[in-house]
Amino acid sequence: MPDSLLPIAIRDERFLAFEAVAERLSTMDLQPLAVYDIDAVTAEALYDLADQFNVLGLRGWTLAGTEAQRRALIKEAIALHRVAGTPYSVRRAMALVGYPNATITENPGLRFDGSWSFNGTRQFSGVSYGGFIVTLDPQQSAVSAALVTLIVALINEWKNARSYLIDLRIGSISLFSNLQLHDGLWSFNGSQTFDGERNI
């Protein structure tokens, strides 16, 4: 090798072979090895990265319908895990899979859904502590039963253990059921029937 940079004293077969390998490595495209460059990594590696960062399945991967959403989910996985169990983590996970306008109403008004009995064991204080309502969009949009199931599962993955999802809505429309709220708008004069449904 005439242009070898090795000193003459060590320019034998072994060192010349080592020098050839080093030179070959310097000309190779090393970008495929940069697996944590989420914007540039090949699409085939995304599933394994999502597995590594624990955002597979109901933690977001199933609902992330595009490659861009999946890349965004992986990029924010560490930050999401740091705030898991907070309203922010639920809102951010929803935004990453296509619901950037999702809002959370914590401790909403009590609901007449058949689970409360008027026997004096519980007090109607006007709020439902630990419960929350998620509104996907302020205006009506199309959803399916399967999609609602996946969204609820995503919310349950990122919420804290003590809180519970009361309702999922689009605008004022409940995707669970039309629940009546103990919000002061109902009168106890016999003109309305508390059957658990609010007919709209």
Side-chain angles (χ1 to χ4, degrees):
M1 186 177 288
D3 56 347
S4 174
L5 298 176
L6 292 172
I8 294 173
I10 61 168
R11 202 178 291 172
D12 61 14
E13 270 183 29
R14 292 172 300 158
F15 286 104
L16 289 174
F18 180 76
E19 185 181 37
V21 169
E23 186 176 327
R24 189 170 137 222
L25 285 174
S26 68
T27 62
M28 290 177 65
D29 179 17
L30 300 179
Q31 181 60 42
L33 299 178
V35 293
Y36 296 115
D37 183 359
I38 307 301
D39 290 323
V41 73
T42 62
E44 292 79 21
L46 293 179
Y47 182 87
D48 292 319
L49 287 169
D51 186 22
Q52 180 180 351
F53 289 107
N54 195 21
V55 288
L56 274 183
L58 300 176
R59 286 191 162 260
W61 185 263
T62 304
L63 271 169
T66 67
E67 184 179 315
Q69 287 176 339
R70 289 175 172 176
R71 288 181 190 274
L73 181 66
I74 294 167
K75 282 167 70 173
E76 292 203 34
I78 293 174
L80 272 175
H81 285 295
R82 283 185 185 143
V83 295
T86 64
Y88 173 79
S89 68
V90 174
R91 281 194 309 272
R92 191 64 195 136
M94 299 285 291
L96 290 170
V97 298
Y99 296 94
N101 300 318
T103 59
I104 297 174
T105 305
E106 295 183 83
N107 303 322
L110 293 171
R111 60 200 170 118
F112 288 100
D113 60 359
S115 66
W116 286 76
S117 58
F118 294 90
N119 61 6
T121 59
R122 291 192 274 185
Q123 182 178 354
F124 286 93
S125 60
V127 292
S128 180
Y129 292 107
F132 64 97
I133 295 170
V134 173
T135 304
L136 298 179
D137 293 301
Q139 297 178 347
Q140 192 168 357
S141 57
V143 291
S144 65
L147 184 58
V148 167
T149 301
L150 289 176
I151 292 169
V152 170
L154 175 77
I155 292 168
N156 287 331
E157 285 289 328
W158 291 105
K159 72 172 186 63
N160 61 44
R162 68 175 166 73
S163 297
Y164 57 97
L165 180 63
I166 293 174
D167 199 8
L168 183 65
R169 297 179 180 170
I170 294 180
S172 62
I173 307 299
S174 169
L175 298 177
F176 286 179
S177 63
N178 267 328
L179 300 174
Q180 295 167 340
L181 295 178
H182 190 266
D183 54 10
L185 299 178
W186 287 79
S187 57
F188 293 88
N189 60 5
S191 63
Q192 295 162 306
T193 302
F194 290 98
D195 57 2
E197 298 293 325
R198 181 179 59 201
N199 299 315
I200 56 174

